[in-house]
Each structure stands twice: as structure tokens, then as C-alpha cells.
């Protein structure tokens, strides 16, 4: 694999990434990173960073030996682009690379991480005044190395209360029993605050993805033997698990002789809709004549699929003309591999619209709410904050929001004095070359309390120049779909 130190391509790419240098969030992430790293010994951080680099180096080396096998293994949860052994180091590494190695990037992960670091950095002076923050960060950065998402959520919630004029303190955990995360005080009024953050994806979503993989990889040998570059748009009408594992292979076998570059073919029955088209590889490589493209990136998927949306599911298999590592070879240059062209490529975009699938992906917050309420003392004013990511598109999020509203309105707090419940729905989105974050806060008063009287500002991640509306971001996404 080549490793050009500098070229026209790398200069152009460096200019694209350099544009981030002028944004507020870029500087705020740097401020947060420097603060976080001050709680780590330099040698400790270098050793943990070296482990991150070693992990991805081995992953990349294996990929270049066998592209087809690499395409299969990258779909497995354990091999996705994240360092599972030390999530905190992985997050710190992403932010450090933003500042020092802009071509070392992973948009799908960075879009989840940068907004939280930016929120901390933007309000660094408020954050430093929070009681117990030193102990919290020291524990976060040195002990709980596999739980960054929950702690980052607690940090931005604490900052939000400070922004609303509260004195905020972290409550140390005890070995005997669970305690609330925070205590906040303003004037004569004080509350305990409990924070819960749901997993990124549901177990059902992960199982559905595995079912898709079985069907896709049963199709791959037929695709490669056809010697045609193919794109499939697949819509399951029933749960993926309830279809034949060879449903794609059988459908493609029955229609492959009719595939041409000019005609879109459609297969439909009571289980599935499949649209099949040839990929115009000449057009794809015309793009590569002008630009290199990051390997396995949204841009590469977009070239094969014709577009890219981070709320959709994509699977692809490519044979590159050449892979090059762009940037200085300083021993830490990972995730900066670019492709100069594609010899052959196969791609699928898939979705399941079965009512059962939508219902199971639209995970409720009832279990987390119950745990949160159990952890707070009896007869003490309490506020609960719950966060989850909205990754499956408007249909799922409409259903999830309906479930959440019903669950919270019907929730019996028993002898717990819960005053308000806030649900923070967060959607990191990536495009071919950029990322953005959307956030919706759903607020619910309990026992006659008005949430707005507690928090007049209840957004967590709003950077300078953030656009704020009274709509949910999934409703805005749905309205955009209607306009297309």
C-alpha cells in the first residue's frame, strides 16, 4: 500500500478539513480535550493511544490481504470502527486527530463524539466550578474506560443546569447503594438529578442487521460470478428473519439475464421489493480521476448507490485499483486510507418497513425510567434526564415518541417525588463529506409541575449559531422526505 507524504490529492483534502479550523465547535473540542488530558499522565495517555493505533493497524493490514473477507468481517459488531477495549481512549484519539491529524477520521463515530466535547469546551468555566468535577473526570478518564457515553451525558446535563443558574454538584457513588448523579440548587430550591443514556442501537436492530448479513453474503458469490457491478435497493415488507435466507440470491438469479445499464428492474412479492440496477463504473471512476476517496466511507457508498443517508442501511463490497495512506507517516496515521479507483463493486441499500420491525426498533424508555426512579431517595424532589440516539429514520422515531409519551404519562412514581422528566433525543448524521447533530428535548411535568419553570433552557448541545425550532428533528426529516 502506497503512502504519499504529499500530493495534489492530499493538499485538496487537507484544505477541506482545514475549513473546520474556522468553526466554533472545532475550538471548543480542543479546549475540552486539553482539559480532559490534564487528568491523565502523559505516559499513560501515550500508551493507551498506542493501543488504539495498534488495533486499527492490525484491522487495516488484514483488510488489504483479502477484500472480500474484510467486507464480511467489518459487518461484525466486534470489527466495526471503534476500539471496544478502551472507549474513552478511542474518543480522545478522535478529538486529538481532529486537531493534529485531520485526515485520520471516522465520521460515523466523530459525529457522536465531537458535539459532547464541544459542549464541554464551550462552557469550560462553568464546568470547572461544578462541585466534584475533578473526582468525576479523574474516575471517568482513569477507571471506567468503557463507559464514556453515559458520563459525557452526565457532564452536559450538569453544565445545562449551571447554564440555568443552578449550583451543581456530582454525588459520589458508594459501594453499598446507588445514588443520584447530581444535586442542583437555586435559591431555596434543590433537586436530585438522575441521568440515563440508552445504548446506541437496540438488541433487535443488531439482530436484524445480522439477519440481513446472512442474506447479503448468500448473494455475494452470485454477484461476483455475474461480472456485473450491481446496486440493489431492498425493502422488506416482513421482518427480515421471517424471509428465506436465500431470498436475495433467488431473486437475482431469476432476473440477472435482463440486467442492463439503461433499465431499472423491479422484483416484488408479499415479502420484499427489490430494485436492481447496474452501477455505471465508468462514471464512478471519472470521479476518481479527479479525487481520491476515503476507503469504506460515505463518499464511496454514495458513488456506488447514487446517494447516501446516514439513517439508511448500506452494505458494499469493492475491489480497489490501489489503496494509499495519505498524510505523514508518524506511526499514528490510521483510518486515513484512500482509494484511487474501483475495479469492481457491489452495493445494497436495505430497509425493513414491517410493523413488527418498526415497533421493536422504537425502543421505549420505561425500563431506564424505572431504574432512575429507584435510585433516588424517597420524598425528595427529583428530576430525571434520559437520552437516546435516533438512528432509524422518522417512521421509527414517530412510534418511539408515541411510546415515550404514553409511558411517562402513565408512569407511577409511587413515593418518589419526581417533578419532571426530560427526554433528550440526539441524532448524529453524516453525509459524504461532513456531519451534523440534531437534538430534540421532550419535557414532561409530573405532579402538576411545569418543566419550563425548572429549566428555561433545556438543550444540551446547542453550539453558537445553532438553529432552534419548535419541531422535532424526525418530523423535519419526514417533511424533507415529502419534498423530495
Amino acid at each position: 500500500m502506497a503512502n504519499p507524504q504529499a500530493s495534489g490529492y492530499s493538499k485538496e483534502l487537507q484544505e477541506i478539513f482545514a475549513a473546520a479550523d474556522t468553526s466554533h465547535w472545532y475550538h471548543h473540542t480542543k479546549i475540552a480535550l486539553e482539559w480532559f488530558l490534564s487528568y491523565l499522565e502523559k505516559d499513560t495517555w501515550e500508551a493507551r493511544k498506542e493501543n488504539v493505533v495498534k488495533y486499527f493497524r492490525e484491522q487495516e493490514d488484514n483488510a488489504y490481504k483479502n477484500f472480500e473477507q474484510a467486507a464480511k468481517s467489518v459487518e461484525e459488531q466486534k470489527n466495526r470502527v471503534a476500539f471496544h477495549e478502551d472507549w474513552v481512549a478511542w474518543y480522545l484519539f478522535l478529538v486529538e486527530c481532529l486537531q493534529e491529524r485531520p485526515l485520520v477520521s471516522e465520521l460515523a463515530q466523530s459525529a457522536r463524539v465531537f458535539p459532547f466535547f464541544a459542549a464541554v469546551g464551550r462552557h469550560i468555566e462553568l464546568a470547572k466550578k461544578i462541585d466534584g468535577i475533578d473526582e468525576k473526570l479523574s474516575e471517568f478518564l482513569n477507571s471506567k474506560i468503557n463507559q464514556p457515553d453515559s458520563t459525557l451525558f452526565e457532564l452536559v446535563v450538569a453544565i445545562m443546569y449551571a447554564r440555568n443558574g443552578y449550583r451543581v454538584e456530582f454525588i459520589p457513588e458508594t459501594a453499598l447503594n446507588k445514588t443520584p448523579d447530581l444535586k442542583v440548587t437555586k435559591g431555596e430550591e434543590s433537586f436530585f438529578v438522575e441521568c440515563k443514556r440508552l445504548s446506541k442501537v437496540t438488541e433487535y436492530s443488531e439482530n436484524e442487521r445480522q439477519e440481513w448479513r446472512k442474506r447479503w453474503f448468500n448473494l455475494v458469490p452470485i454477484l461476483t460470478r455475474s461480472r456485473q457491478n450491481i446496486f440493489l435497493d431492498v425493502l422488506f415488507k416482513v421482518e427480515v428473519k421471517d424471509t428465506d435466507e436465500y431470498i436475495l440470491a433467488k431473486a437475482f438469479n431469476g432476473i440477472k439475464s435482463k440486467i442492463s445499464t439503461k433499465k431499472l428492474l423491479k422484483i416484488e412479492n408479499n415479502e420484499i421489493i427489490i430494485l436492481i440496477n447496474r452501477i455505471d463504473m465508468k462514471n464512478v471512476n471519472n470521479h476518481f480521476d479527479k479525487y481520491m476517496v476515503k476507503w469504506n466511507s460515505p463518499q464511496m457508498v454514495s458513488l456506488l448507490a447514487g446517494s447516501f443517508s446516514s439513517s439508511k442501511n448500506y452494505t458494499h463490497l469493492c475491489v480497489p485499483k490501489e489503496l494509499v495512506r495519505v498524510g505523514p507517516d508518524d506511526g499514528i496515521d490510521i483510518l486515513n486510507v484512500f482509494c484511487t479507483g474501483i475495479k469492481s463493486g457491489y452495493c445494497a441499500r436495505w430497509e425493513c418497513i414491517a410493523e413488527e420491525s418498526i415497533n421493536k426498533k422504537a425502543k421505549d424508555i420505561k425500563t431506564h425510567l424505572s431504574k432512575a426512579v429507584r435510585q433516588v431517595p424517597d420524598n425528595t424532589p427529583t428530576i430525571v434526564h434520559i437520552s437516546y440516539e435516533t438512528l432509524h429514520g422518522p417512521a421509527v422515531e414517530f412510534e418511539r415518541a408515541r411510546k415515550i409519551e404514553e409511558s411517562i404519562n402513565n408512569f407511577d412514581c409511587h413515593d418518589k417525588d419526581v417533578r419532571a422528566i426530560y427526554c433528550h433525543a440526539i441524532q448524529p448524521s453524516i453525509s459524504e463529506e461532513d456531519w451534523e447533530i440534531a437534538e430534540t428535548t421532550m419535557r414532561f411535568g409530573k405532579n402538576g409541575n411545569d418543566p419550563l419553570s425548572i429549566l428555561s433552557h433545556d438543550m444540551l448541545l446547542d453550539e453558537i449559531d445553532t438553529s432552534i425550532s419548535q419541531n422535532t428533528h424526525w418530523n423535519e426529516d419526514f417533511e424533507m422526505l415529502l419534498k423530495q
Side-chain angles (χ1 to χ4, degrees):
M1 180 174 59
N3 189 344
Q5 298 298 311
S7 69
Y9 292 120
S10 59
K11 179 181 179 181
E12 177 185 32
L13 287 163
Q14 300 247 12
E15 289 173 353
I16 292 173
F17 283 101
D21 198 328
T22 62
S23 62
H24 296 291
W25 68 264
Y26 175 90
H27 296 289
H28 295 150
T29 57
K30 184 176 183 179
I31 291 169
L33 175 68
E34 291 173 349
W35 188 36
F36 287 171
L37 289 180
S38 71
Y39 290 85
L40 288 172
E41 294 291 336
K42 184 175 181 181
D43 289 347
T44 300
W45 167 231
E46 293 299 326
R48 288 171 70 176
K49 180 164 59 176
E50 185 178 328
N51 287 335
V52 175
V53 173
K54 180 181 178 182
Y55 170 81
F56 285 108
R57 277 286 189 172
E58 291 176 354
Q59 197 179 79
E60 289 175 350
D61 289 345
N62 291 332
Y64 307 138
K65 293 174 184 176
N66 187 322
F67 295 113
E68 184 171 336
Q69 185 58 41
K72 290 182 179 181
S73 63
V74 78
E75 287 286 316
E76 297 175 7
Q77 189 175 24
K78 66 179 181 179
N79 289 327
R80 290 179 202 158
V81 185
F83 185 48
H84 304 265
E85 293 180 18
D86 191 345
W87 282 98
V88 171
W90 167 230
Y91 284 11
L92 294 171
F93 180 76
L94 285 171
V95 179
E96 184 184 83
C97 286
L98 172 69
Q99 319 295 332
E100 299 182 9
R101 305 168 207 92
L103 293 177
V104 177
S105 69
E106 176 51 40
L107 283 178
Q109 288 286 322
S110 299
R112 300 180 62 248
V113 177
F114 292 165
F116 284 87
F117 276 69
V120 173
R122 183 156 79 98
H123 302 287
I124 189 77
E125 296 308 320
L126 284 176
K128 287 181 176 180
K129 294 177 182 177
I130 295 173
D131 291 342
I133 190 69
D134 289 332
E135 293 80 4
K136 187 69 177 180
L137 288 180
S138 181
E139 179 185 35
F140 166 53
L141 294 161
N142 292 286
S143 301
K144 293 186 175 180
I145 61 174
N146 281 323
Q147 300 181 36
D149 290 340
S150 295
T151 303
L152 287 172
F153 177 49
E154 291 173 23
L155 286 172
V156 294
V157 169
I159 289 169
M160 179 182 63
Y161 276 94
R163 292 167 67 189
N164 279 269
Y166 286 86
R167 184 173 67 82
V168 183
E169 60 179 300
F170 279 101
I171 301 174
E173 292 185 10
T174 68
L176 297 177
N177 40 16
K178 295 288 289 184
T179 60
D181 296 305
L182 304 166
K183 184 177 181 181
V184 299
T185 305
K186 184 193 288 187
E188 299 298 318
E189 196 168 40
S190 66
F191 304 99
F192 283 118
V193 177
E194 178 62 27
C195 304
K196 295 293 182 187
R197 186 169 178 179
L198 277 66
S199 300
K200 179 183 175 183
V201 296
T202 65
E203 183 179 357
Y204 178 85
S205 300
E206 190 56 46
N207 290 338
E208 184 178 71
R209 181 187 179 105
Q210 296 303 321
E211 291 295 332
W212 159 259
R213 288 182 69 249
K214 295 176 187 175
R215 287 145 185 81
W216 167 252
F217 285 114
N218 284 333
L219 172 64
V220 165
I222 302 171
L223 287 176
T224 54
R225 285 197 301 269
S226 74
R227 299 185 180 276
Q228 300 182 90
N229 301 293
I230 299 294
F231 172 67
L232 298 92
D233 209 338
V234 183
L235 192 68
F236 289 92
K237 299 179 181 180
V238 300
E239 290 185 88
V240 181
K241 68 179 180 60
D242 291 336
T243 63
D244 187 329
E245 287 189 20
Y246 290 88
I247 189 170
L248 300 180
K250 291 176 180 177
F252 186 80
N253 261 336
I255 204 170
K256 62 184 179 182
S257 62
K258 300 178 182 178
I259 296 174
S260 71
T261 55
K262 298 180 180 179
K263 187 177 180 181
L264 179 67
L265 297 178
K266 181 178 180 179
I267 302 168
E268 181 172 6
N269 56 40
N270 60 354
E271 293 184 329
I272 200 166
I273 301 174
I274 307 176
L275 301 178
I276 302 175
N277 205 353
R278 287 271 296 275
I279 297 172
D280 186 345
M281 200 57 69
K282 181 179 179 181
N283 186 55
V284 169
N285 282 308
N286 282 342
H287 181 90
F288 283 99
D289 289 341
K290 300 176 183 178
Y291 313 103
M292 285 192 295
V293 175
K294 192 169 187 293
W295 183 242
N296 286 335
S297 66
Q299 178 67 62
M300 177 171 283
V301 172
S302 179
L303 290 171
L304 299 172
S307 63
F308 177 85
S309 169
S310 60
S311 65
K312 302 289 185 182
N313 302 298
Y314 297 88
T315 305
H316 69 283
L317 175 64
C318 293
V319 176
K321 292 183 177 179
E322 184 184 15
L323 295 177
V324 297
R325 194 182 295 280
V326 179
D329 188 5
D330 61 359
I332 313 177
D333 54 327
I334 56 170
L335 301 175
N336 61 339
V337 176
F338 288 76
C339 182
T340 63
I342 296 176
K343 295 178 181 178
S344 60
Y346 317 95
C347 183
R349 176 172 54 218
W350 66 277
E351 181 180 6
C352 182
I353 60 169
E355 183 177 346
E356 299 90 340
S357 174
I358 291 173
N359 180 54
K360 292 171 184 175
K361 287 195 286 275
K363 186 176 181 180
D364 199 356
I365 50 85
K366 190 184 301 183
T367 300
H368 286 75
L369 177 58
S370 296
K371 289 180 180 178
V373 172
R374 285 199 301 269
Q375 287 179 211
V376 298
D378 296 344
N379 305 313
T380 306
T382 297
I383 304 166
V384 176
H385 291 266
I386 297 176
S387 175
Y388 63 92
E389 294 183 41
T390 57
L391 304 175
H392 296 298
V396 170
E397 298 314 325
F398 277 126
E399 175 61 15
R400 193 204 301 256
R402 184 197 65 77
K403 285 183 181 180
I404 288 173
E405 182 174 7
E406 181 179 324
S407 292
I408 292 178
N409 288 336
N410 294 328
F411 189 80
D412 185 354
C413 298
H414 298 291
D415 53 357
K416 301 299 177 75
D417 185 10
V418 177
R419 302 291 179 90
I421 301 166
Y422 297 84
C423 290
H424 304 273
I426 297 171
Q427 180 170 306
S429 301
I430 58 175
S431 62
E432 287 86 342
E433 294 178 346
D434 205 354
W435 64 271
E436 63 179 8
I437 195 84
E439 176 188 356
T440 294
T441 300
M442 295 181 288
R443 56 190 79 89
F444 302 86
K446 299 295 284 184
N447 301 317
N449 289 282
D450 178 10
L452 289 175
S453 69
I454 299 171
L455 291 169
S456 60
H457 184 93
D458 53 18
M459 303 294 286
L460 300 172
L461 307 175
D462 50 324
E463 271 286 308
I464 298 169
D465 300 327
T466 294
S467 174
I468 298 178
S469 77
Q470 299 302 311
N471 209 351
T472 66
H473 60 259
W474 51 89
N475 194 53
E476 291 181 345
D477 288 347
F478 181 69
E479 291 173 355
M480 288 292 292
L481 288 173
L482 291 178
K483 292 177 182 178
Q484 293 177 0

